[in-house]
Amino acid sequence: MQQTTRWAGAAALALLATSLHAQSLDDLKRDSATPGDVLTYGMGYNNQRYSPLKQINTNNAAKLRPVWAYSLNNPQGQESQPIVHNGVMYVTTHNSTVALDPATGKQIWKQEIELPQDVFKMACCGILNRGAAIYDGKLFRSTLDAHVMAMDAKTGKQLWKSKAADYQNGQAMTSAPLIANGVVLTGIAGGEYGTRGFIDGWDPATGKQLWRFYTTAAPDQKGGDTWPGDTHLKGGAPTWLTGAYDPDLDLVYWGTGNGGPWNPNARKGDNLYIASVVAIRPKTGELVWHYQFSPNDPYDYDATEVGMLVDMKIGGKDRKVLAQANRNGFFYVLDRASGELLAANPYVKVNWAERIDLKTGRPVPTETDKKARAGEDVEIFPSVLGGKNWTPMSWNPSTGLAYANTLNISWPYQLAKPEYKKGEWYLGVNFRGVNMPKNEPHGYLSAIDPMTGKSKWQMAWPGQPSMAGTLSTGGGLVFTGAATGEFIAVDANNGKKLYEFQTSSGIIGLPVTFEHKGKQYVSIVSGAGGVWALLGDERMSQVPAGGSVWTFAVD
């Protein structure tokens, strides 16, 4: 009898522990409205990276102080977004997952991942991971060797692990999964390696693959006639960032990347669905609509950073839109139910297209673009890094502005003969890096009107541009970080810097804010690296490596 009682008590405690860590689909839907939690990549299915919290605001931001710092014991670039639930913070690196106390930084558990040694020479661009997803008491993440795994959120114990692709072909997984309508969705990296992109749907309980949507259309599929021969098999269109989700429409929006090779003459045609956004059903992977930003893209203008879901008035009407600052230099606003193009305007210097035709949705090429496609050596704005790179922007509904770290960089462009070799870059371009304009900033923190592409204000980055994400809050603040390691807070209305703190390395991660026991905190992962480091900027030699999590609050 005594033993039975002990078992019953243990079972009750186990049930309590499970319920404390369980999350429902409704919890995920409410993420943007529950400031105590950060349950999704993007701080809400809408990917707006906005929090209504205002305990930290323009009046007291100068009183911010670091509360704790936690070493990730990892020298690689750190691009992870923390997840916070029920008094626990989860952070990923390329080879570990950690659970922390969000108020103190004390480690609760840590699980390391064993990776094959040859994976590191085949993963573009940077050895990293961008975060986890949480649902029903489980934590989900991807791995550099192209697997998806689930862990018990309470203990870190692995529950299942499924293979998505062969990393030796150049495919990797770096992004956070997305949970939509009970399905785990993941993308794939490797567009520079002559691979074929896809989006997968997985069963969260078992890891069984439910469906796969290929992002280069086969001859027997809609859009297949936009690829000559079998070029779609090495056509790129990687899906290496996390999508957004509209539960009311039951549509997942996922961005796709460059065509393979970069040389567009090797795959003449629009090449659906490269450099596009696709709207799909999460239960089945069915394509509902698509919009292609850069048909037959020659310039590596990924559309993988899908953008934000925003409700706004356009022409006096309430519209549900998807807003994206595309790497091609244009800021797009699309109707997210139909894919109708509503606006497209340059937000940085652009010389490859005159404009985007609002009737056809297609770019109108310039003479510079025509020369590039003919094989001449030309200078192209924006560069291979885009007008904005991979890091997400944020939205403030009070100002009606998008806050993004933008780039003012060009690149020398000339076609070359493409040669495919397994596990090596498949470009077909004489790649010579990027050009930094003289006597001009190389990047800005920009407050952009999505309908015009014009900035209300810009804060120039001295020296290296920022590759960090941004966070907007109800306190009228925008948080971000610098390549040289400064964590900063600025006034969302005018760009005035209100706070700055030097972290231990460069920042290329994504800030989040949350409330814990009545106190507002802001956290960001620090650790230089990523695509900027690959360009060999000599100034970065002065920035120490080393990953860490920093958390701030007002005294």
Side-chain angles (χ1 to χ4, degrees), residues 64-69 499 501 550-553 555:
L64 278 163
R65 296 293 182 269
V67 176
W68 57 263
Y499 178 72
F501 177 84
W550 289 83
T551 293
F552 300 81
D555 282 345

Side-chain angles (χ1 to χ4, degrees), residues 139-151:
L139 201 68
F140 304 88
R141 63 162 292 165
S142 61
T143 65
L144 207 58
D145 60 345
H147 286 74
V148 186
M149 59 185 294
M151 295 168 283

Side-chain angles (χ1 to χ4, degrees), residues 39-41 80-81 83 90-92 97 129-134 139-142 151 175-177:
L39 300 181
T40 58
Y41 188 85
S80 179
Q81 180 211 286
I83 291 288
Y90 303 94
V91 180
T92 63
T97 310
N129 186 272
R130 297 188 173 92
I134 192 167
L139 201 68
F140 304 88
R141 63 162 292 165
S142 61
M151 295 168 283
S175 59

Side-chain angles (χ1 to χ4, degrees), residues 510-530:
L510 313 175
V512 297
T513 189
F514 56 93
E515 189 177 71
H516 182 69
K517 295 182 179 179
K519 190 177 186 68
Q520 183 182 357
Y521 296 87
V522 184
S523 292
I524 195 165
V525 176
S526 171

Side-chain angles (χ1 to χ4, degrees), residues 386-423:
K388 181 180 77 65
N389 201 251
W390 77 271
T391 43
M393 57 188 172
S394 60
W395 174 256
N396 187 316
S398 297
T399 64
L401 298 172
Y403 300 90
N405 280 312
T406 61
L407 302 172
N408 181 33
I409 301 171
S410 64
W411 66 317
Y413 185 87
Q414 187 178 36
L415 298 179
K417 182 180 178 180
E419 295 184 15
Y420 173 78
K421 294 181 181 179
K422 180 179 176 179

Side-chain angles (χ1 to χ4, degrees), residues 70-122:
Y70 170 86
S71 171
L72 292 165
N73 191 28
N74 187 297
Q76 306 297 333
Q78 305 300 326
E79 297 183 356
S80 179
Q81 180 211 286
I83 291 288
V84 182
H85 174 64
N86 197 38
V88 181
M89 175 185 289
Y90 303 94
V91 180
T92 63
T93 72
H94 83 278
N95 62 0
S96 68
T97 310
V98 297
L100 309 172
D101 183 320
T104 66
K106 183 179 179 180
Q107 179 178 299
I108 299 170
W109 56 256
K110 179 177 184 178
Q111 292 292 346
E112 296 188 344
I113 299 170
E114 290 187 14
L115 294 166
Q117 287 302 305
D118 60 344
V119 74
F120 304 115
K121 66 180 182 181
M122 297 179 183

Side-chain angles (χ1 to χ4, degrees), residues 461-473:
W461 290 105
Q464 302 96 312
S466 174
M467 293 284 185
T470 70
L471 160 69
S472 301
T473 73

